């Protein structure tokens, strides 16, 4: 009965909010390093009307100094997708109780696919007859404002600041369901496990207090050979009615409705969300890098950047080459031997990178800047990237030959009975009987059929 009682207690909590639960998180088990509380919701508490010293890295609850368990780090694969779990409590994720309390939703319950608030009043989810959904701070999925991930390439947290903590990915219309996808920029440079700091960010719009969320992670970037550098993050600007006012390039997290440390002002105190109203786009934020990539060794075959532009007149400059390559649809531009311009869509390999001083020939059209050298190409990003895309996370589907876990309520305190079945349909069919009311997948492998009485 222990798990059933735990679920009942959590389900009625009126003060729950949301956080991202994943390896590498600070305060994973609460703010006491000696205790691993599987039933903690400390990190979900919002930030409101605090000094910057209090809200920065959740210092108000000590999570700035309670790091992840040894060896744990959040992996953000460059060019890939990080899938995490958003929940009201760690208990409703696969980080607790073998995932037995998880559903598709953030509160461990089951809700309609088209879950929405009532048509009267403010229409918030919590105003439905069941009273659920308040912690999502929204009327429905469409109105969910979006959540974000940011990264700083600093292992010393004292050196992390608003200028080097750069928003790298946005998941639109979240938080909503438990699983969430964050596409990661392909050019994100490598970072060793635990040597970077990451933050999960959210500013909900209405249906509750004007809260802000900032949550801490130790993180790393595996599988990257990029040599690009992140630019200095600038405060985002509310630009819903004037897209030309949107800040281009790397942007800071949104700091809002705090006593000190705010970095945005909105008209009429409108909520600043992580979406296009603040200049963020769905998916990977590919415009976060410094324009100059570096100086590289070139060769006749193959060329570092394979497509040459021969139509530039009036003397070569880096600006002319970058503009020509961008107009031609390329992601990278390179100037070489004072007069040559090349374009391509693949970043040069890190093994070809050499000291900047080897690109020392003045540009033919501007002697004050360099344009590579003999078999040395100076490469820049054009500012053009593949169209960013976002795919919502999909809950695991039960497959054939899965394990069937028969878990009547009386067995919550012990091990479930494992019965091997030949097909998932058997599990699903039992879910509609009087004995077993619900079915859901759970656990680290996300491939078990779990029935609840």
């Amino acid at each position: 009965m222990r798990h059933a009682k735990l679920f009942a207690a959590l389900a009625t909590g009126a003060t729950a909010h949301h956080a991202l639960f994943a390896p590498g998180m600070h305060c994973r088990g609460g703010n006491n390093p000696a205790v691993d509380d599987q039933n903690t919701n400390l990190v979900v508490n919002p930030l409101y009307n605090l000094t910057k010293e209090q809200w920065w890295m959740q210092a108000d609850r000590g999570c700035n100094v309670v790091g992840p368990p040894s060896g744990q780090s959040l992996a953000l694969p460059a060019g890939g997708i990080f899938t995490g779990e958003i929940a009201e409590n760690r208990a409703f994720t696969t980080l607790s109780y073998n995932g037995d309390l998880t559903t598709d939703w953030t509160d461990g319950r089951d809700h309609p696919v088209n879950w929405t608030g009532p048509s009267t009043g403010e229409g918030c989810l919590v105003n439905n007859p069941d009273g659920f959904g308040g912690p999502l701070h929204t009327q429905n999925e469409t109105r969910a404002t979006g959540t974000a991930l940011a990264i700083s390439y600093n292992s010393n947290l004292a050196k992390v600041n608003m200028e080097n903590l750069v928003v790298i990915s946005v998941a639109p219309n979240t938080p909503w369901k438990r699983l969430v996808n964050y596409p990661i920029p392909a050019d994100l440079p490598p970072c060793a496990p635990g040597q970077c700091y990451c933050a999960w960010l959210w500013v909900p719009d209405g249906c509750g207090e004007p809260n802000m969320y900032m949550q801490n992670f130790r993180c790393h970037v595996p599988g990257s050979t990029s040599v690009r550098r992140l630019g200095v993050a600038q405060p985002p600007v509310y630009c819903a009615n004037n897209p030309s006012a949107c800040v281009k390039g790397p942007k800071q997290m949104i700091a809002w409705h705090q006593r000190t440390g705010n970095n945005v002002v909105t008209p009429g105190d409108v909520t600043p969300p992580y979406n296009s109203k603040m200049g963020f786009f769905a998916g990977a934020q590919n415009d976060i890098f410094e324009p100059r990539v570096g100086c590289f060794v070139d060769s006749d075959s193959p060329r570092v950047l394979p497509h040459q532009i021969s139509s530039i007149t009036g003397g070569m400059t880096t600006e002319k080459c970058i503009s020509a390559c961008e107009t031609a649809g390329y992601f990278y531009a390179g100037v070489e031997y004072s007069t040559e311009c090349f374009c391509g869509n693949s970043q040069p390999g890190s093994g070809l990178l050499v000291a900047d001083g080897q690109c020392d020939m003045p540009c033919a059209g501007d002697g004050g800047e360099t344009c590579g050298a003999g078999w040395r190409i100076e490469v820049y990003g054009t500012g053009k990237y593949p169209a960013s895309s976002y795919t919502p996370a999909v809950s695991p589907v039960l497959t054939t030959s899965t394990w069937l876990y028969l878990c009547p309520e009386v067995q919550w305190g012990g091990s479930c009975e494992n019965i091997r079945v030949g097909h998932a349909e058997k599990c699903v069919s039992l879910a509609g009987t009087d004995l077993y009311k619900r079915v859901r997948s759970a656990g680290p492998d996300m491939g078990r059929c779990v029935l609840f009485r």
Side-chain angles (χ1 to χ4, degrees):
M1 294 292 291
R2 181 175 67 87
H3 286 65
K5 290 179 179 178
L6 170 62
F7 180 86
L10 293 173
T12 57
T15 59
H17 298 273
H18 282 87
L20 178 71
F21 290 85
M25 65 183 290
H26 283 226
C27 282
R28 172 188 170 116
N31 57 11
N32 183 350
V35 176
D36 183 26
D37 183 2
Q38 297 193 69
N39 181 24
T40 178
N41 65 354
L42 179 67
V43 294
V44 312
N45 296 326
L47 304 162
Y48 175 68
N49 196 30
L50 301 174
T51 65
K52 186 178 180 183
E53 291 74 21
Q54 292 173 311
W55 63 257
W56 182 250
M57 297 187 184
Q58 294 187 331
D60 64 322
R61 67 211 66 175
C63 288
N64 58 323
V65 294
V66 181
S70 178
Q72 287 200 6
S73 179
L74 177 64
L76 302 177
I81 293 176
F82 161 69
T83 301
E85 299 177 84
I86 295 178
E88 297 179 13
N89 189 300
R90 177 180 157 184
F92 299 141
T93 74
T94 58
L95 298 186
S96 288
Y97 308 118
N98 296 318
D100 287 345
L101 292 183
T102 62
T103 66
D104 290 347
W105 300 89
T106 63
D107 60 1
R109 298 185 180 87
D110 296 310
H111 300 286
V113 174
N114 61 344
W115 194 24
T116 189
S119 58
T120 58
E122 194 177 4
C124 300
L125 287 175
V126 72
N127 299 134
N128 280 315
D130 59 17
F132 299 147
L136 286 168
H137 295 286
T138 191
Q139 294 87 357
N140 48 50
E141 183 178 12
T142 302
R143 295 293 299 275
T145 54
T147 58
L149 286 178
I151 192 170
S152 173
Y153 279 75
N154 283 278
S155 58
N156 182 350
L157 297 192
K159 295 183 178 180
V160 179
N161 55 45
M162 295 289 278
E163 288 73 32
N164 61 40
L165 181 63
V166 180
V167 175
I168 61 172
S169 184
V170 169
N173 305 121
T174 61
W176 186 242
K177 289 191 174 182
R178 175 175 59 88
L179 296 181
V180 58
N181 282 343
Y182 292 98
I184 308 301
D187 279 357
L188 203 64
C191 181
Q195 296 303 298
C196 281
Y197 169 81
C198 286
W200 181 78
L201 309 163
W202 175 37
V203 180
D205 184 10
C207 293
E209 286 186 339
N211 298 320
M212 181 185 89
Y213 295 76
M214 178 192 190
Q215 184 193 351
N216 313 313
F217 291 83
R218 283 288 186 174
C219 58
H220 64 286
V221 182
S224 173
T225 58
S226 174
V227 297
R228 301 206 70 174
R229 294 179 292 271
L230 273 61
V232 176
Q234 303 298 318
V237 171
Y238 187 81
C239 54
N241 302 316
N242 183 15
S244 63
C246 294
V247 172
K248 309 298 182 183
K251 286 178 278 294
Q252 298 176 8
M253 64 171 284
I254 296 169
W256 182 68
H257 264 206
Q258 304 304 316
R259 201 174 309 162
T260 61
N262 298 311
N263 67 344
V264 299
V265 177
T266 59
D269 205 31
V270 173
T271 299
Y274 285 99
N275 59 32
S276 60
K277 293 180 180 179
M278 292 297 295
F280 297 100
F281 39 86
Q285 309 297 293
N286 287 314
D287 61 348
I288 60 177
F289 304 100
E290 292 181 356
R292 189 178 187 278
V293 180
C295 179
F296 297 85
V297 175
D298 201 3
S299 64
D300 189 45
S301 181
R303 286 281 188 177
V304 165
L305 300 178
H307 304 282
Q308 186 169 9
I309 300 289
S310 302
S311 57
I312 295 176
T313 59
M316 183 63 63
T317 66
T318 56
E319 290 77 12
K320 288 180 180 179
C321 181
I322 292 170
S323 177
C325 290
E326 181 182 11
T327 299
Y330 292 105
F331 307 148
Y332 298 98
V335 286
E336 186 169 341
Y337 202 56
S338 186
T339 61
E340 298 173 345
C341 175
F342 296 87
C343 312
N345 284 334
S346 297
Q347 186 184 144
S350 57
L352 299 175
L353 183 68
V354 295
D356 289 344
Q358 294 191 33
C359 288
D360 59 358
M361 291 186 67
C363 295
D366 184 350
E369 61 181 17
T370 57
C371 279
W375 298 115
R376 296 294 185 269
I377 184 168
E378 206 160 356
V379 178
Y380 294 82
T382 64
K384 192 175 186 65
Y385 290 90
S388 181
S389 61
Y390 175 77
T391 303
V394 178
S395 298
V397 178
L398 293 173
T399 58
T400 59
S401 299
T402 187
W403 286 96
L404 176 63
Y405 280 62
L406 298 183
C407 299
E409 189 173 283
V410 295
Q411 291 182 316
W412 268 121
S415 299
C416 295
E417 180 185 358
N418 301 343
I419 299 179
R420 187 72 172 176
V421 296
H423 51 275
E425 287 79 3
K426 174 68 173 178
C427 181
V428 175
S429 67
L430 286 173
T433 66
D434 291 336
L435 182 59
Y436 300 107
K437 297 297 186 183
R438 291 189 291 167
V439 58
R440 61 190 183 215
S441 58
D445 58 359
M446 306 303 294
R448 298 181 299 179
C449 176
V450 183
L451 299 171
F452 295 86
R453 192 174 185 180

